Amino acid sequence: MAAYEPKNILITGAAGFIASHVANRLVRNYPHYKIVVLDKLDYCSNLKNLNPSRPSANFKFVKGDIASADLVNYLLITESIDTIMHFAAQTHVDNSFGNSFEFTKNNIYGTHVLLEACKVTGQIRRFIHVSTDEVYGETDEDAVVGNHEASQLLPTNPYSATKAGAEMLVMAYGRSYGLPVITTRGNNVYGPNQFPEKLIPKFILLAMRGLPLPIHGDGSNVRSYLYCEDVAEAFEVVLHKGEVGHVYNIGTVKERRVIDVAKDICKLFGLDTEKVIRFVENRPFNDQRYFLDDQKLKRLGWAERTPWEEGLKKTIEWYTTNPDYWGDVTGALLPHPRMLMTPGVDERHNWTEEFKSLASSPVEASTTAPASSAQNSTDAPQKPGYKFLIYGRTGWIGGLLGKICDKQGIPYEYGKGRLEERSQLLEDIRTLKPTHVFNAAGVTGRPNVDWCETHKQDTIRTNVVGTLNLADVCREQGLLMINYATGCIFEYDAKHPEGSGIGFKEEDTPNFTGSFYSKTKAMVEELLKDYDNVCTLRVRMPISSDLSNPRNFITKIARYDKVVNIPNSMTILDELLPISIEMAKRDCRGIWNFTNPGVVSHNEILEMYKKYINPDFKWTNFTLEEQAKVIVAPRSNNEMDASKLKAEFPELLSIKDSLIKYVFEPNRKVPAN
């Protein structure tokens, strides 16, 4: 069979670890190929990985998400793409136990977008889909022959399940539409540039810092490791010699126990394994062994070239030369980075405290492996080790958070320090030792935001300086901060007209500067983007079932003589505040529109009030122009796109359904018909 010769290749996820080595190799070895790389630059990707290729005339980088159909179609057409090498994926198993929807979105939906674009454009001559050996599931400990390409797929964790699901789509598009697909399934890969949530770079960085190496379980789990350049060569072979419709394992029969990997790294650093190896609790569903049959790829001419000892030395040399390449990776070095337990599993350790103990006494680390889960099966289950630190005790949201924690049995304390005083915040954290921090403190004005117009310095001090202070202290201490922000930083515009159903998304730039309060909120939200330990929740026009609370939006408008009638996104606190606690447990980060899906107008709410609470209630409307005569600062009116939150929490009710369930039915005074 003649070798395949591509012209214009699109490589997805190319700023990540494996794909960057493949991209750099192809750019270097084939100057007549045009290499277009697409990457959204997620936490584990780095544009520096592509530095060897960036000066080359045949290289082009595009920042973007494979989930954007418009972008993918545009690139295929404008760059005349004839070949796709699809690496982009969420890959860290621990993360998949806590945020599996994100894995479905990236690994399955993103792949589907690519396949559909290939079908529509009709110009793709090769689609190479990069999968994993984990789709086969666990290999029997006594198996002599590894999983071959026709073996049954039996994934055991959310990550591998999404990769198997993506494979099914690839196979279906190959059979249904004749798409020229090839799939690869690979062993573990190691080498320079890898984000240190993975085993080998994590152990190297910990060893460099003089910290213990945490081993999951007893360290007997077996894995096979290939050096990154050997893997890049394997993809070069598959690209040119792989047969359409086939699957190729990229692996090695040389296996190593995790404990042996740790010992080899200790040896190269001159460390005493008895002092630096620390056994910690195993992760959920940690497969004992993955073992591949690698003969099919070898028949195409590929072979592993780099011995384990040589590859490990090269990798250690790179990390010692580039210790700050990834910046602050403290969170990734935890025994279970961002780990969240799956439903039905109750036990969870406080790994923030675990890391602190690892850091404080490295030479005293335990070298005794913990008992297996089977041995501990009779032990009473322990509740997760949470402790929340809440700021904003006298505020509405802060007070409600305490009540929810009481109801859920979560230990919590209210912060005593003022947000503007860094030393006081540090004292709170050191004294209380929280696992999460919630910031519900802020200046909104009394009785409303008009107060902020005449108290600008006070507003800045709390809403901007104080919030940044707390975020910075939490980042130093390795803590996630849930920050209750506002969605009152947008107003309807030409792209998001009233009544269109087109809401502002998390990535949209704030466009409302009518009030000084909103200005400070938009300002601090932009600055918080540089803090990866913050989860910003945009609350809008909050409503609760407590209709006696003067801060409740319904209570406010029910007391007004006149109200405007404009549809808005709103936040039902009875439903969404418990979700915010779950978001902390899931380690959600970044910006989230924290509203119920859809919009509801003032009149629609008051009609419900009349139907459920007071059938004699009456009100009149006035225009925005009339409203402007009785307020100091303009008010924000908008629709927020809550699809991101809905995807994470599919049970989330629409605004009108939530109003009925959580607010009006519990307060019903008018008998139902």
Side-chain angles (χ1 to χ4, degrees):
M1 184 179 70
Y4 172 68
E5 191 77 8
K7 293 182 179 179
N8 304 310
I9 305 174
L10 175 67
I11 304 179
T12 68
F17 171 50
I18 300 175
S20 63
H21 285 281
V22 174
N24 290 333
R25 184 183 187 91
L26 294 178
V27 169
R28 179 178 68 247
N29 292 350
Y30 303 92
H32 55 292
Y33 294 176
K34 179 169 71 173
I35 309 296
V36 180
V37 303
L38 174 64
D39 199 297
K40 68 178 181 179
L41 297 180
D42 207 347
Y43 76 96
C44 57
S45 56
N46 194 325
L47 199 53
K48 291 188 291 186
N49 290 348
L50 294 166
N51 278 350
S53 297
R54 295 177 73 180
S56 302
N58 64 329
F59 172 84
K60 181 176 182 178
F61 172 78
V62 178
K63 182 180 179 181
D65 194 334
I66 58 170
S68 172
D70 290 341
L71 174 60
V72 171
N73 279 280
Y74 175 81
L75 287 177
L76 296 192
I77 294 170
T78 58
E79 301 295 341
S80 300
I81 299 298
D82 59 23
T83 302
I84 293 178
M85 302 181 77
H86 175 35
F87 289 86
Q90 293 282 342
T91 65
H92 194 53
V93 177
D94 280 354
N95 290 348
S96 77
F97 290 122
N99 191 5
S100 55
F101 284 113
E102 194 67 19
F103 281 69
T104 301
K105 176 184 173 184
N106 282 273
N107 300 354
I108 296 180
Y109 179 73
T111 301
H112 201 167
V113 169
L114 285 172
L115 292 167
E116 188 65 15
C118 293
K119 184 192 79 172
V120 171
T121 57
Q123 65 194 48
I124 301 301
R125 298 165 55 217
R126 285 290 188 282
F127 184 101
I128 299 175
H129 175 69
V130 182
S131 190
T132 170
D133 60 351
E134 294 195 36
V135 297
Y136 293 121
E138 190 172 58
T139 307
D140 291 339
E141 291 187 52
D142 58 354
V144 178
V145 178
N147 288 301
H148 54 80
E149 287 80 356
S151 296
Q152 185 178 5
L153 304 190
L154 296 168
T156 59
N157 58 64
Y159 157 62
S160 57
T162 61
K163 293 299 287 183
E167 280 199 36
M168 296 301 101
L169 279 171
V170 172
M171 180 176 66
Y173 270 71
R175 292 181 177 177
S176 296
Y177 305 113
L179 200 66
V181 299
I182 298 172
T183 296
T184 67
R185 298 173 185 148
N187 276 154
N188 288 13
V189 183
Y190 72 100
N193 304 0
Q194 190 171 25
F195 186 73
E197 66 184 359
K198 302 293 187 178
L199 181 80
I200 291 175
K202 174 190 288 190
F203 281 1
I204 291 172
L205 286 181
L206 288 170
M208 287 167 57
R209 299 179 183 194
L211 294 171
L213 312 188
I215 303 288
H216 291 178
D218 61 5
S220 66
N221 301 78
V222 176
R223 298 292 185 265
S224 300
Y225 299 91
L226 281 172
Y227 188 64
C228 55
E229 285 302 323
D230 291 349
V231 174
E233 183 182 356
F235 280 103
E236 183 181 16
V237 170
V238 170
L239 171 65
H240 295 108
K241 298 182 180 180
E243 190 172 345
V244 169
H246 282 237
V247 177
Y248 294 93
N249 288 337
I250 301 177
T252 174
V253 295
K254 300 169 185 174
E255 298 179 289
R256 282 172 177 78
R257 297 182 304 163
V258 171
I259 185 68
D260 294 327
V261 173
K263 289 179 177 179
D264 287 346
I265 291 173
C266 288
K267 180 180 179 181
L268 290 172
F269 275 97
L271 299 174
D272 185 346
T273 58
E274 295 298 316
K275 292 183 177 181
V276 300
I277 288 178
R278 171 75 174 270
F279 293 96
V280 300
E281 183 184 357
N282 213 345
R283 76 184 188 199
F285 315 116
N286 192 0
D287 293 326
Q288 182 65 27
R289 183 190 187 203
Y290 301 126
F291 187 39
L292 292 181
D293 184 323
D294 61 354
Q295 293 304 304
K296 185 174 179 180
L297 183 59
K298 285 184 174 180
R299 289 195 290 270
L300 294 184
W302 175 82
E304 180 183 4
R305 299 182 186 278
T306 308
W308 165 252
E309 295 76 11
E310 178 185 336
L312 194 57
K313 287 179 181 177
K314 287 181 178 179
T315 305
I316 290 174
E317 181 180 347
W318 185 87
Y319 280 97
T320 53
T321 305
N322 301 276
D324 300 317
Y325 187 85
W326 286 101
D328 182 5
V329 292
T330 303
L333 300 181
L334 294 171
H336 297 268
R338 297 189 182 184
M339 179 178 168
L340 286 153
M341 305 299 274
T342 51
V345 182
D346 296 323
E347 188 174 20
R348 173 181 168 174
H349 280 284
N350 175 355
W351 292 121
T352 300
E353 292 302 312
E354 178 71 20
F355 184 80
K356 288 177 181 176
S357 73
L358 287 172
S360 62
S361 57
V363 297
E364 297 175 5
S366 168
T367 56
T368 304
S372 68
S373 57
Q375 291 172 310
N376 288 329
S377 60
T378 58
D379 292 348
Q382 300 175 12
K383 290 186 176 181
Y386 301 124
K387 185 175 184 181
F388 294 165
L389 173 58
I390 303 171
Y391 287 91
R393 179 173 192 162
T394 60
W396 184 20
I397 290 179
L400 290 175
L401 284 173
K403 292 179 180 178
I404 295 171
C405 288
D406 284 335
K407 186 176 181 180
Q408 295 188 11
I410 300 174
Y412 71 98
E413 297 279 350
Y414 284 103
K416 297 178 181 179
R418 295 182 60 82
L419 296 191
E420 307 94 286
E421 299 295 332
R422 186 182 186 89
S423 60
Q424 294 179 11
L425 301 180
L426 282 168
E427 181 63 22
D428 279 347
I429 290 173
R430 288 168 180 166
T431 301
L432 301 174
K433 296 181 173 57
T435 59
H436 301 78
V437 175
F438 292 75
N439 180 31
V443 169
T444 57
R446 294 289 184 89
N448 54 48
V449 296
D450 288 344
W451 180 90
C452 300
E453 302 299 314
T454 54
H455 297 78
K456 293 184 176 180
Q457 288 75 25
D458 296 308
T459 306
I460 291 173
R461 194 176 298 118
T462 300
N463 290 358
V464 180
V465 177
T467 302
L468 289 174
N469 220 7
L470 184 57
D472 195 55
V473 169
C474 288
R475 187 174 187 273
E476 278 190 354
Q477 302 299 314
L479 293 169
L480 173 68
M481 181 180 95
I482 302 293
N483 184 51
Y484 296 93
T486 180
C488 295
I489 53 179
F490 297 97
E491 62 180 349
Y492 289 119
D493 61 14
K495 292 183 178 179
H496 310 81
E498 178 184 331
S500 66
I502 302 173
F504 290 91
K505 297 185 177 182
E506 283 80 358
E507 61 268 26
D508 288 333
T509 302
N511 67 346
F512 178 71
T513 56
S515 71
F516 191 75
Y517 164 77
S518 293
K519 284 182 182 178
T520 62
K521 288 297 198 176
M523 180 188 304
V524 76
E525 180 177 289
E526 179 64 27
L527 294 170
L528 285 174
K529 290 179 181 178
D530 290 322
Y531 286 85
D532 59 3
N533 64 310
V534 175
C535 178
T536 295
L537 305 180
R538 290 173 174 166
V539 177
R540 282 214 80 231
M541 296 182 172
I543 295 171
S544 82
S545 57
D546 181 7
L547 296 181
S548 64
N549 192 310
R551 304 178 197 180
N552 194 327
F553 178 75
I554 296 177
T555 308
K556 288 181 180 179
I557 64 173
R559 293 176 179 177
Y560 292 158
D561 293 328
K562 294 182 178 181
V563 297
V564 295
N565 183 37
I566 300 176
N568 271 285
S569 289
M570 302 186 188
T571 302
I572 307 302
L573 297 177
D574 300 71
E575 181 176 19
L576 282 164
L577 284 186
I579 284 178
S580 70
I581 288 178
E582 180 60 24
M583 292 176 77
K585 295 176 181 178
R586 296 187 186 186
D587 202 29
C588 295
R589 299 172 187 234
I591 297 173
W592 298 73
N593 289 338
F594 203 57
T595 61
N596 292 86
V599 293
V600 64
S601 69
H602 297 62
N603 280 5
E604 287 174 316
I605 289 177
L606 293 177
E607 287 287 357
M608 292 182 189
Y609 186 86
K610 183 175 182 178
K611 176 180 177 181
Y612 288 86
I613 309 298
N614 181 3
D616 298 323
F617 182 79
K618 296 179 181 179
W619 72 95
T620 57
N621 293 127
F622 64 168
T623 64
L624 287 174
E625 291 75 17
E626 292 173 316
Q627 182 195 47
K629 296 177 182 179
V630 296
I631 59 177
V632 176
R635 302 296 195 258
S636 160
N637 294 290
N638 65 58
E639 179 174 354
M640 311 289 288
D641 186 333
S643 57
K644 178 180 177 181
L645 189 66
K646 178 72 172 177
E648 183 72 19
F649 298 93
E651 70 275 15
L652 180 64
L653 295 178
S654 69
I655 180 61
K656 294 176 183 176
D657 289 341
S658 190
L659 275 167
I660 293 171
K661 177 177 179 179
Y662 290 99
V663 180
F664 287 113
E665 279 293 355
N667 287 287
R668 178 189 281 275
K669 294 182 179 179
V670 178
N673 293 331

